[in-house]
Amino acid sequence: MPELPEMENYRIHLQQFITGKRIEKININREKSINETPMLFRKQTENHQVTGMKRRAKYLIFHLQNGSSLLLHLMLGGWMFYGSKAEKPDHKTQIEIVFDTDSYLYFFGLRLGYLHLLPADQLEKELSEIGSEPFAGSFSQDFFYKSAER
């Protein structure tokens, strides 16, 4: 299962490649991996630029220019690959995102994982009950000790 360090690694490496790129097409090979109908999902994501990327706990968040976000959780055994179609590992993909630069982001093994499309207010609600972020500036030894006392 990808843990926080792996997800942070994905964020660090992916954000440099996909920030500023336009999503040209999304291929959805497993509809249970998304939270909308494939038609609505594509309508809200295709031809929109990825404006930034964040990580919160074990989630990756892809911010889109239309104000919505893609919330990814790989769950048990999920993984991603970014590269050209020719470089794609020989595994069945759940979701493929094609960028305007002819590069691809593949999601594998999302049997339990998901990629949800959420407006900003719903994203905040979805993440509201997650605990403190260990990489945040406010997370210190004192904060940790005070939190542990409760």
Side-chain angles (χ1 to χ4, degrees), residues 10-106:
Y10 274 132
R11 184 198 64 77
I12 289 167
H13 290 92
L14 281 176
Q15 76 179 358
Q16 65 184 323
F17 295 115
I18 67 171
T19 300
K21 294 203 175 143
R22 184 179 57 83
I23 296 172
E24 187 173 293
K25 184 175 182 179
I26 294 189
N27 299 316
I28 300 162
N29 301 318
R30 185 170 188 275
E31 289 185 29
K32 289 183 178 181
S33 297
I34 60 173
N35 64 328
E36 301 287 353
T37 65
M39 188 171 84
L40 182 60
F41 196 89
R42 286 186 190 100
K43 182 179 179 182
Q44 294 293 317
T45 56
E46 291 180 348
N47 296 311
H48 290 282
Q49 188 179 56
V50 177
T51 58
M53 234 183 118
K54 290 186 179 177
R55 182 202 47 77
R56 183 73 170 93
K58 294 188 203 178
Y59 294 96
L60 284 184
I61 305 160
F62 302 82
H63 295 289
L64 303 178
Q65 77 183 70
N66 64 2
S68 61
S69 296
L70 293 171
L71 180 68
L72 171 73
H73 197 304
L74 292 174
M75 299 294 274
L76 193 62
W79 57 288
M80 295 182 285
F81 175 80
Y82 176 83
S84 70
K85 193 168 194 160
E87 298 170 313
K88 176 190 172 280
D90 188 26
H91 292 282
K92 184 178 178 184
T93 58
Q94 305 301 321
I95 298 171
E96 302 170 4
I97 299 177
V98 183
F99 294 96
D100 58 352
T101 54
D102 203 29
S103 54
Y104 296 72
L105 180 57
Y106 297 102

Side-chain angles (χ1 to χ4, degrees), residues 131-148:
S132 301
E133 183 60 39
F135 295 144
S138 61
F139 194 89
S140 64
Q141 188 174 7
D142 288 339
F143 176 83
F144 177 77
Y145 289 139
K146 287 178 184 172
S147 296

